[in-house]
């Protein structure tokens, strides 16, 4: 461990539910990979979700000091070998009374100056398109109130986004071209099937800017509508709209990070 080099890579926080978040991107959590637990199940980062026990943990502090997976207590987080080595993978194994299964939470040393958290910038890239890549981007040369969103070709890094976590598994999407403008469902009123996605001045109290993103579907928080391109076949220039989440099974969006 080295708190002076690549600090954010080694810093985490544990929420009340037992999810372990990365400091670099607090929407990513330690998660047991797959749909069942077994010896050497890989532990990796995945989108934080509250509907699974595979990314919540129980730390038996002061007793065994083991970090157990809530989905099936009895499986502990440890390194892949019998002795910790640099670059070992982190896996789940059946809990035993061994030193390599004991963990402590060590706070970082006090900082002389407040260190700004690294901003994660990404494109919202479509999954499941055949023959091309498509990303959500604001329409036109300027980001203005009420601007529509289209499916672009992912070539312009300026057409990227940042994510703001406002709590309760709710996020807002800020445009990189104008961080004060956010992803917004429709113009006003109740979200409906077919409503166009737009950019509006960011407002934490506006539910038309509140979304859930599980690393696949982007869903408006209030209703069962998902963000999709207008044409089922997907073409560059397609308008981005809301549709019933069950009507476009197999389509979704993924992070495409910008260096």
């Amino acid at each position: 461990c080295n708190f002076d080099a690549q600090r954010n890579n080694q810093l985490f926080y544990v929420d009340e539910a037992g999810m372990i978040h990365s400091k670099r991107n607090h929407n990513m959590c330690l998660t047991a990979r797959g749909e069942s637990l077994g010896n050497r199940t890989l532990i990796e980062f995945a989108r934080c979700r509250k509907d699974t026990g595979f990314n919540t943990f129980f730390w038996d502090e002061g007793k065994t000091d083991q970090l157990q997976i809530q989905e099936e207590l009895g499986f502990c987080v440890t390194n892949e070998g019998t002795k910790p080595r640099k670059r070992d993978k982190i896996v789940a194994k059946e809990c035993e009374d061994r030193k390599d299964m004991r963990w402590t939470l060590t706070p970082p040393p006090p900082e002389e100056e407040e260190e700004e958290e690294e901003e994660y910038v990404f494109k919202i890239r479509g999954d499941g398109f055949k023959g091309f890549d498509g990303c959500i981007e604001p329409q036109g040369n300027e980001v203005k109130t009420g601007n529509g969103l289209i499916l672009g070709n992912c070539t312009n890094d300026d057409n990227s986004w940042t994510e703001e976590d406002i709590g309760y598994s709710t996020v807002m999407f800020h445009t990189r071209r104008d961080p004060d403008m956010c992803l917004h469902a429709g113009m006003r009123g109740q979200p409906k099937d077919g409503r166009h996605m737009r950019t509006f001045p960011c407002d934490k109290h506006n539910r038309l800017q509140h979304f859930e993103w599980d690393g696949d579907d982007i869903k408006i928080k209030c209703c069962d509508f998902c963000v999709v391109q207008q044409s089922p076949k997907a073409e560059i220039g397609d308008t981005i709209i809301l549709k019933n989440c069950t009507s476009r099974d197999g389509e979704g969006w993924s992070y495409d990070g910008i260096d």
Side-chain angles (χ1 to χ4, degrees):
C1 300
N2 184 347
F3 283 118
D4 296 320
Q6 295 184 330
R7 305 174 55 103
N8 289 354
N9 287 346
Q10 299 176 357
L11 296 182
F12 307 87
Y13 73 90
V14 184
D15 66 18
E16 294 180 354
M19 292 193 289
I20 301 175
H21 300 252
S22 165
K23 180 177 179 180
R24 289 192 68 180
N25 181 356
H26 50 235
N27 293 308
M28 302 297 284
C29 289
L30 288 183
T31 303
R33 186 176 185 178
E35 298 181 355
S36 61
L37 286 174
N39 274 324
R40 300 186 182 276
T41 295
L42 189 65
I43 306 295
E44 61 183 6
F45 278 111
R47 182 82 179 174
C48 301
R49 295 172 53 187
K50 292 187 177 181
D51 60 347
T52 174
F54 287 99
N55 65 358
T56 54
F57 297 85
F58 168 69
W59 183 42
D60 194 10
E61 181 182 9
K63 295 182 180 179
T64 65
D65 288 329
Q66 292 173 335
L67 195 59
Q68 299 189 39
I69 300 167
Q70 290 276 23
E71 179 70 16
E72 192 169 336
L73 295 178
F75 279 91
C76 287
V77 176
T78 185
N79 53 287
E80 60 181 337
T82 55
K83 294 182 179 180
R85 295 180 300 178
K86 189 175 181 179
R87 299 190 184 280
D88 266 359
K89 293 179 180 178
I90 303 300
V91 298
K93 293 182 182 179
E94 290 187 15
C95 299
E96 298 180 26
D97 186 14
R98 298 186 345 217
K99 289 184 178 180
D100 61 301
M101 291 191 177
R102 298 174 187 169
W103 300 86
T104 58
L105 299 185
T106 305
E111 299 175 0
E112 294 182 2
E113 296 182 1
E114 186 71 21
E115 185 176 307
E116 289 188 10
E117 186 172 337
E118 184 178 347
E119 187 176 60
Y120 183 64
V121 182
F122 55 90
K123 297 176 186 176
I124 304 176
R125 184 181 295 271
D127 294 331
F129 299 159
K130 294 182 179 179
F132 74 97
D133 291 330
C135 292
I136 295 178
E137 60 183 54
Q139 191 172 24
N141 295 324
E142 296 183 44
V143 181
K144 298 180 179 179
T145 298
N147 268 24
L149 296 168
I150 61 171
L151 191 65
N153 56 18
C154 303
T155 58
N156 189 348
D157 286 353
D158 286 337
N159 289 325
S160 51
W161 304 81
T162 59
E163 189 180 60
E164 180 184 3
D165 186 347
I166 60 173
Y168 301 99
S169 301
T170 304
V171 297
M172 298 172 64
F173 295 96
H174 297 253
T175 69
R176 188 183 190 188
R177 285 159 60 184
D178 184 348
D180 293 325
M181 301 295 283
C182 283
L183 188 68
H184 186 99
M187 295 288 283
R188 59 185 65 85
Q190 183 73 8
K192 295 181 180 180
D193 192 286
R195 282 277 171 90
H196 289 203
M197 299 301 299
R198 302 182 183 276
T199 53
F200 265 74
C202 300
D203 179 2
K204 289 184 180 180
H205 303 291
N206 192 331
R207 64 176 188 159
L208 297 180
Q209 298 179 10
H210 297 175
F211 298 90
E212 293 178 303
W213 192 10
D214 60 6
D216 188 18
D217 292 327
I218 298 177
K219 179 181 177 182
I220 189 164
K221 184 75 174 180
C222 68
C223 320
D224 191 27
F225 293 115
C226 289
V227 177
V228 300
Q229 79 287 349
Q230 191 167 33
S231 171
K233 294 182 179 180
E235 297 175 347
I236 295 298
D238 267 355
T239 302
I240 303 301
I241 63 172
L242 287 178
K243 289 291 288 184
N244 188 290
C245 291
T246 59
S247 67
R248 295 286 184 88
D249 189 31
E251 297 179 8
W253 307 95
S254 59
Y255 289 100
D256 185 3
I258 304 297
D259 294 330

